[in-house]
C-alpha cells in the first residue's frame, strides 16, 4: 500500500490513537448509562464490565495519543477538553442507547469490527500499538461473544424481541460503512505497518455477522448509502450532548486534581 | 446431646420446648451457625428474610444515587472506580438475594415486594446526590457506616447471611477508602472544590448518623434480634462507634461536621453529639424523603422496560431446550 507522503508519521499515529480511544470512550460512556437500569441485575453487572473494559482501553489509547503528540496533554486533557468537532470516534458508537435491542446491536456491530481490528493491530510494528491491542483483544473477544449471544436470544426469542432487534439492525446498518472506509490517516498508518487495511476487515466481519444473524433468524439489511464523518470530526447531533454531560464537572469547577 | 436437651425444657408457664426448638436454642447459645436445612422458628425465618431482603434491596437501590454521576466523573480513572463500585453494589444485591432465597422465598417475590413499595430499603438512598463531592462523601460516610453495621454481622447466627457479608464487607472497605480519597482530594484542592466537599458533608452527615436506626429507647425489634444473634450491637452503640471513627477523619480533612453540640468527652473517651432530626427520619421511612418516589420509579421502569428482554431470553432458552430434546430423540 502506498504511503501518502505528506502525512508525518507521528501526526498520523496521533489521529489514529484518538480514533481508537474516542470510539472506546464514547461507547463506554453510552453503555455505562445502563448501570442501575438494566433488564436484570445480572445485566447491570455484565454491561458495566464491558463499559469498564472500554473506558480502560480508551485511557491507554488517549495516553498514547498524548505521548505521541508531545504537547503535554494527558488522557484527561484529551477526554475532557476537546469539543465534539475534535472527537474522532466512529459515528456508530455515539448513536443513542435506545432500547436494549438498539444497545445490543450497536455493541455487536462494533465489537465484531473492534475484535478483528485489534487482532491485526496486535502485530503492529509499533510496539506501543501492539501492546495495547494485545491486551484489549482479550477483553473484546468476550464482548463479541456476549453481544452475539444477545442478538441470537433476541432474534430467536419472541415476536416482539425479533421485531425490535431487526429494527435496530436496519437502523444502525448504515453506520457500519465508515468502519471499513480508510482515509489518508488510515492509509498512512497502514502503509507504515503501524495500522492495518481497514477495507480488508470487512470480509471476516461480514462472515461473523452473517453467522450470528442466521442463528438469530434475522435478515441482513441491504448495503446502501452509508453515513460517515466521525473520524474527521463531523458527528451526529448526539455527540454534543454526550460530551457536555461527560465534561461538565471537570470544566465548570476550577481544580488541578480530581 | 439431643435427649439431654429434650429433658431440659425452658421453664416458665409450663410449655415444653419442642425438641427442634431446643436444638436451635442450643446452637444459638453456643454460636453454632444455623444453616438452611436446619429447623428454625418461623419468627426467626421471617425476621431474617426481612432483614436480608431489605439489605439486598438497599444494595440495588443504592446503585442509583451514585450511578447518576458515572457519566460526569471528572477523570477517566474516577469514572472507572465509580463504575466498579456501583457494579460491586449490584453484586452485593445478588449475593444477598441468594442468601435470602435459602430461607425459601424466591428472588422474584422479593423484587415484587420492593417494586410494589411493600419492602423497605435503607432510607439513606432517598437523599439526592447533588454534586460530585456527594460521590466521595457517600463512599466515606455511607459505606463507612455500612461497614460498622455489617462487620459484626459476619458473625451472625445465620450461615448464608454471615458468609455473604464477609465478601460484602471486603468490598465495602474499598469503597470507603476510595470515597475518602475523593473527599480528601477535594478538601485539599481549590477553594471551590473544598467548598463542594464541605457542602456535601453538611448534607450527608445527619442522614448518615441516622442510618443506624432509631435510638435504642424507641427501637422495637432489638431485643429478640439480639437474642437470636442477628443483631449484635445496639443502634446507639454502632452510632457512637461511627461518630468516634469519623470525627477525627473530618478534622484531618479540614472539614467541619455540622453539629454545634459535638465535643470530645474526656471522661468517657467518646464524642458527645447532638440529636438528629428523628421526625425527618420517620418521614423518609414513610416515603416522604426527597427521592423516595424517584428511586422506586427508576427501579420499576428498569423492571418494566426489561420485561420483553427477560421474556425473550426465556423463550429462546425454551426453544433451545426443545431443539436439544428433538435432536436427541
Ligand atoms: Fe454494598
Ligand atoms: Fe459499597
Amino acid at each position: 500500500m502506498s504511503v501518502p507522503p505528506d502525512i508525518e508519521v507521528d501526526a498520523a499515529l496521533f489521529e489514529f490513537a484518538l480514533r481508537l480511544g474516542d470510539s472506546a470512550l464514547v461507547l463506554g460512556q453510552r453503555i455505562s448509562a445502563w448501570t442501575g437500569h438494566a433488564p436484570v441485575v445480572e445485566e447491570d453487572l455484565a454491561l458495566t464490565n464491558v463499559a469498564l473494559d472500554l473506558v480502560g482501553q480508551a485511557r491507554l489509547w488517549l495516553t498514547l495519543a498524548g505521548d505521541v503528540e508531545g504537547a503535554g496533554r494527558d488522557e484527561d486533557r484529551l477526554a475532557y477538553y476537546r469539543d465534539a468537532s475534535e472527537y474522532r470516534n466512529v459515528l456508530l458508537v455515539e448513536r443513542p442507547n435506545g432500547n436494549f435491542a438498539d444497545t445490543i446491536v450497536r455493541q455487536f456491530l462494533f465489537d465484531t469490527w473492534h475484535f478483528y481490528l485489534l487482532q491485526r493491530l496486535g502485530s503492529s510494528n509499533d510496539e506501543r500499538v501492539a501492546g495495547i491491542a494485545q491486551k484489549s483483544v482479550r477483553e473484546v473477544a468476550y464482548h463479541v461473544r456476549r453481544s452475539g449471544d444477545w442478538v441470537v436470544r433476541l432474534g430467536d426469542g419472541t415476536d416482539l424481541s425479533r421485531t425490535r432487534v431487526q429494527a435496530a439492525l436496519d437502523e444502525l446498518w448504515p453506520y457500519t460503512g465508515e468502519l471499513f472506509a480508510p482515509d489518508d490517516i488510515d492509509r498512512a498508518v497502514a502503509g507504515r505497518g503501524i495500522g492495518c487495511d481497514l477495507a480488508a476487515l470487512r470480509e471476516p466481519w461480514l462472515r461473523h455477522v452473517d453467522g450470528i444473524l442466521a442463528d438469530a433468524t434475522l435478515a441482513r439489511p441491504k448495503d446502501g448509502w452509508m453515513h460517515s464523518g466521525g473520524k474527521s470530526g463531523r458527528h451526529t447531533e448526539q455527540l454534543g450532548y454526550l460530551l457536555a454531560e461527560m465534561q461538565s464537572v471537570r470544566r465548570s469547577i476550577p481544580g488541578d486534581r480530581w | 446431646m439431643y435427649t439431654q436437651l429434650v429433658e431440659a425444657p425452658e421453664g416458665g408457664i409450663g410449655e415444653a420446648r419442642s425438641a427442634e426448638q431446643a436444638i436451635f436454642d442450643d446452637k444459638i447459645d453456643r454460636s453454632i451457625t444455623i444453616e438452611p436445612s436446619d429447623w428454625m422458628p418461623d419468627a426467626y425465618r421471617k425476621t431474617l428474610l426481612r432483614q436480608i431482603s431489605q439489605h439486598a434491596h438497599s444494595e440495588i437501590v443504592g446503585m442509583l444515587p451514585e450511578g447518576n454521576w458515572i457519566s460526569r466523573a471528572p477523570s477517566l480513572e474516577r469514572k472507572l472506580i465509580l463504575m466498579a463500585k456501583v457494579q460491586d453494589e449490584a453484586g452485593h444485591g445478588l449475593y444477598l438475594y441468594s442468601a435470602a432465597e435459602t430461607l425459601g422465598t424466591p428472588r422474584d417475590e422479593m423484587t415484587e415486594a420492593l417494586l410494589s413499595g411493600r419492602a423497605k430499603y435503607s432510607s439513606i438512598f432517598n437523599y439526592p446526590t447533588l454534586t460530585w463531592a456527594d460521590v466521595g462523601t457517600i463512599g466515606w460516610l455511607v459505606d463507612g457506616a455500612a461497614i460498622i453495621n455489617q462487620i459484626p454481622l459476619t458473625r451472625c447466627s445465620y450461615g448464608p447471611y454471615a458468609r455473604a457479608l464477609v465478601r460484602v464487607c471486603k468490598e465495602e472497605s474499598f469503597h470507603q477508602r476510595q470515597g475518602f480519597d475523593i473527599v480528601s482530594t477535594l478538601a485539599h484542592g481549590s477553594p471551590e472544590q473544598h467548598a463542594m466537599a464541605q457542602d456535601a458533608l453538611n448534607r450527608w452527615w445527619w442522614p448518615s448518623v441516622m442510618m443506624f436506626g432509631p435510638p435504642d429507647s424507641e427501637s422495637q425489634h432489638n431485643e429478640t434480634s439480639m437474642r437470636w444473634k442477628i443483631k449484635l450491637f445496639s443502634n446507639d452503640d454502632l452510632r457512637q462507634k461511627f461518630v468516634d471513627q469519623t470525627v477525627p477523619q473530618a478534622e484531618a480533612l479540614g472539614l467541619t461536621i455540622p453539629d454545634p453540640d459535638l465535643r470530645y468527652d474526656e471522661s468517657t473517651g467518646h464524642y458527645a453529639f447532638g440529636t438528629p432530626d428523628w421526625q425527618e427520619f420517620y418521614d423518609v421511612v414513610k416515603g416522604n424523603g426527597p427521592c423516595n418516589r424517584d428511586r422506586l420509579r427508576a427501579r420499576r421502569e428498569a423492571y418494566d422496560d426489561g420485561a420483553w428482554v427477560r421474556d425473550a431470553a426465556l423463550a429462546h432458552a425454551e426453544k433451545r431446550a426443545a431443539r436439544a430434546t428433538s435432536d436427541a430423540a
Side-chain angles (χ1 to χ4, degrees), chain A residues 51-69:
Chain A
L52 281 165
D53 288 344
L54 289 171
V55 175
Q57 293 170 18
R59 294 180 69 194
L60 301 173
W61 290 120
L62 294 181
T63 299
L64 172 61
D67 289 348
V68 170
E69 186 190 37

Side-chain angles (χ1 to χ4, degrees), chain B residues 168-327:
Chain B
V168 168
C169 283
K170 263 188 215 145
E171 292 175 350
E172 300 297 6
S173 67
F174 268 120
H175 300 170
Q176 206 244 358
R177 261 178 287 163
Q178 288 154 352
F180 186 81
D181 188 64
I182 292 175
V183 179
S184 170
T185 304
L186 297 173
H188 297 114
S190 67
E192 292 84 352
Q193 288 174 314
H194 184 92
M196 194 162 79
Q198 181 63 56
D199 168 64
L201 178 58
N202 292 348
R203 285 180 289 107
W204 287 95
W205 174 254
W206 288 112
S208 302
V209 169
M210 291 191 278
M211 269 181 77
F212 298 92
D216 294 349
S217 54
E218 289 172 37
S219 194
Q220 303 155 1
H221 308 291
N222 264 347
E223 221 176 279
T224 323
S225 292
M226 287 181 86
R227 183 158 50 77
W228 280 334
K229 295 183 181 165
I230 53 181
K231 183 167 178 62
L232 293 141
F233 294 96
S234 80
N235 295 354
D236 286 339
D237 287 350
L238 294 167
R239 187 170 6 254
Q240 184 66 54
K241 199 165 176 222
F242 172 74
V243 173
D244 287 345
Q245 173 184 299
T246 313
V247 174
Q249 294 172 342
E251 281 168 2
L253 293 171
L255 297 174
T256 308
I257 287 180
D259 179 358
D261 298 327
L262 188 72
R263 61 184 173 79
Y264 186 70
D265 184 339
E266 296 276 358
S267 66
T268 60
H270 294 290
Y271 283 90
F273 54 97
T275 308
D277 181 353
W278 290 112
Q279 187 54 48
E280 175 182 308
F281 175 81
Y282 290 114
D283 282 343
V284 180
V285 168
K286 281 185 204 128
N288 297 317
C291 301
N292 297 54
R293 287 174 184 78
D294 289 344
R295 299 293 183 240
L296 263 195
R297 185 182 305 116
R299 288 311 305 160
R300 273 191 212 121
E301 273 172 13
Y303 191 79
D304 293 345
D305 292 351
W308 69 275
V309 177
R310 297 190 301 274
D311 290 347
L314 199 67
H316 179 70
E318 280 165 6
K319 284 183 193 179
R320 282 181 79 112
R323 282 198 290 263
T325 326
S326 70
D327 285 354

Side-chain angles (χ1 to χ4, degrees), chain A residues 1-4 7-17 19-20 117 120-121 123-126 129 180-201 231:
Chain A
M1 187 181 294
S2 68
V3 179
I7 300 177
E8 196 252 322
V9 61
D10 277 355
L13 179 51
F14 170 71
E15 283 287 323
F16 185 66
R19 290 172 181 188
L20 288 160
L117 173 63
R120 280 158 184 71
L121 295 181
S123 51
S124 166
N125 63 20
D126 184 300
V129 171
F180 308 102
D183 63 6
D184 282 349
I185 302 289
D186 296 314
R187 279 186 282 269
V189 287
R192 290 178 168 96
I194 299 169
C196 65
D197 179 8
L198 292 183
L201 298 178
K231 292 196 290 186

